[in-house]
Amino acid sequence: MRMIVFATNNENKLKEVKAMLPSDIRLVSLSDLHYNHTLTETADTLEENALQKARFVRQKFGYDCFADDTGLEVDVLDGEPGVYSARYAGEECDSYANVQKLLRNMSGATNRRAHFRTVIALILGDEEHVFEGVIHGQITHSMRGNRGFGYDPVFVPDKRTETLAEMTDTAKNSVSHRAQAVKKLVAFLMAVRRQMHQNARR
């Protein structure tokens, strides 16, 4: 069984990703490694933030690992909150405060278009790989639903009527930005495994 570290202590993210990985991949979180500190995100892009976190974990613990960074990019706000999505209302604020600030900043806006983007940075051996998932939709005028986390209660994907927070886990994982990026990650890991098996038979 291959062990791989997901560089997060976010139980919601961990649950989502675990549900999508093959059973022969053992997913380990930072808390499993007894590391409960918040990883630094000081870059200007989602890609660099994800790589920054993955490189830190690889250097500190020596395991194959991946990290993600996600941003909500709103058209009328010129792409905000973007890379600052998790700390939009301040470093010590929670998701509810972030969502309330977003709704205030969009008060009166008729253009509610936005998209979620997730970038996953994988370090496997000595190689780095990046995978991206994007979902387009609309920002609601108020919070709806009690599932999910982050901005899920105010984001309705295109061709859907429910917010991400109103969807079941299965429904969300069929369309979400993170799910798209994770599917690309899983496909890559499966291809690596097939190649290893082929090489072992030669």
Side-chain angles (χ1 to χ4, degrees):
M1 178 179 288
R2 173 188 286 273
M3 188 188 90
I4 190 165
V5 178
F6 183 9
T8 186
N9 277 318
N10 186 314
E11 290 299 322
N12 292 307
K13 285 185 181 181
L14 195 66
K15 179 182 176 183
E16 279 189 6
V17 173
K18 270 186 175 178
M20 300 178 65
L21 288 179
S23 59
D24 63 342
I25 294 180
R26 178 185 169 212
L27 191 64
V28 175
S29 70
L30 292 179
S31 61
D32 293 324
L33 300 177
H34 308 292
Y35 188 85
N36 298 307
H37 304 288
T38 300
L39 296 182
T40 301
E41 297 179 339
T42 57
D44 295 326
T45 67
L46 300 177
E47 292 84 354
E48 285 301 319
N49 272 342
L51 283 165
Q52 182 181 41
K53 292 187 288 187
R55 288 167 181 162
F56 173 84
V57 171
R58 175 69 177 181
Q59 182 177 20
K60 184 172 182 64
F61 298 104
Y63 296 120
D64 290 338
C65 63
F66 64 90
D68 79 314
D69 198 22
T70 294
L72 174 66
E73 300 172 350
V74 180
D75 289 5
V76 75
L77 299 180
D78 297 323
E80 287 187 2
V83 73
Y84 303 107
S85 294
R87 51 193 184 277
Y88 191 41
E91 291 290 343
E92 302 301 322
C93 292
D94 58 13
S95 294
Y96 179 80
N98 289 335
V99 169
Q100 292 307 307
K101 179 178 180 179
L102 175 70
L103 293 177
R104 288 195 303 272
N105 287 348
M106 294 186 68
S107 178
T110 55
N111 177 7
R112 315 292 293 188
R113 296 294 299 166
H115 60 272
F116 262 125
R117 196 159 64 91
T118 288
V119 175
I120 291 177
L122 168 71
I123 301 181
L124 201 62
D126 296 323
E127 295 184 353
E128 297 180 348
H129 307 272
V130 174
F131 310 95
E132 182 180 87
V134 181
I135 182 173
H136 298 273
Q138 303 271 351
I139 301 298
T140 58
H141 292 272
S142 60
M143 298 177 70
R144 290 169 20 202
N146 53 17
R147 298 174 182 266
F149 55 97
Y151 296 91
D152 287 359
V154 293
F155 187 88
V156 177
D158 286 346
K159 300 181 181 179
R160 303 298 292 257
T161 58
E162 319 103 305
T163 67
L164 291 174
E166 292 175 303
M167 295 181 183
T168 64
D169 291 345
T170 300
K172 179 182 174 181
N173 281 343
S174 70
V175 299
S176 83
H177 46 296
R178 184 171 294 103
Q180 291 179 34
V182 172
K183 286 174 184 175
K184 293 176 183 177
L185 168 70
V186 170
F188 178 80
L189 292 173
M190 298 291 281
V192 169
R193 184 176 64 178
R194 285 194 298 272
Q195 187 62 51
M196 291 175 63
H197 287 170
Q198 290 173 5
N199 291 342
R201 289 198 294 267
R202 290 175 182 170

